[in-house]
Amino acid sequence: MGQAQQHRAVLIVEDDAELRSLTAALLEDEQLDRIECESAEAALAIMLIGGQHVALIFADIRLRGVMDGIDLCILRGPIVGSRALLKRSHDEIAIA
């Protein structure tokens, strides 16, 4: 009797709808589950509610709203054991 496989998702946090859709489309080609959010607050709510294991957070550092990508990564620690990739512009990525 096998165990049910737990789906791991990539949480895409980007306030630019076009970039968010493009990133999701690229990950779809890799057959990865994706969750799209336009704000750090929405992403945090998804992580608190649960449902899917978030394996990776791909977030913009500069987000509209009260929280930015750095705040999200600081707060994610106690919630999920996921990795994070933060981007500041189209060509800069940092691993957190």
Side-chain angles (χ1 to χ4, degrees):
M1 182 181 289
Q3 293 180 337
Q5 185 175 1
Q6 183 178 19
H7 292 281
R8 297 168 62 108
V10 176
L11 181 59
I12 303 163
V13 189
E14 171 60 65
D15 51 9
D16 181 312
E18 188 174 330
L19 286 175
R20 190 172 60 246
S21 294
L22 177 61
T23 303
L26 291 171
L27 293 174
E28 183 178 20
D29 290 346
E30 297 299 321
Q31 298 180 342
L32 294 169
D33 291 340
R34 300 141 338 271
I35 303 169
E36 297 178 47
C37 294
E38 64 183 23
S39 69
E41 293 84 3
L44 187 59
I46 285 173
M47 289 188 289
L48 287 170
I49 292 168
Q52 275 190 308
H53 175 72
V54 175
L56 177 69
I57 300 168
F58 184 76
D60 193 351
I61 289 176
R62 297 179 188 164
L63 294 166
R64 293 181 203 114
V66 176
M67 294 173 37
D68 61 19
I70 294 172
D71 296 328
L72 176 62
C73 287
I74 290 169
L75 292 172
R76 88 181 193 288
I79 300 169
V80 293
S82 62
R83 304 278 300 192
L85 289 174
L86 295 173
K87 68 177 198 62
R88 187 173 75 191
S89 66
H90 301 303
D91 60 350
E92 295 182 38
I93 295 178
I95 298 174

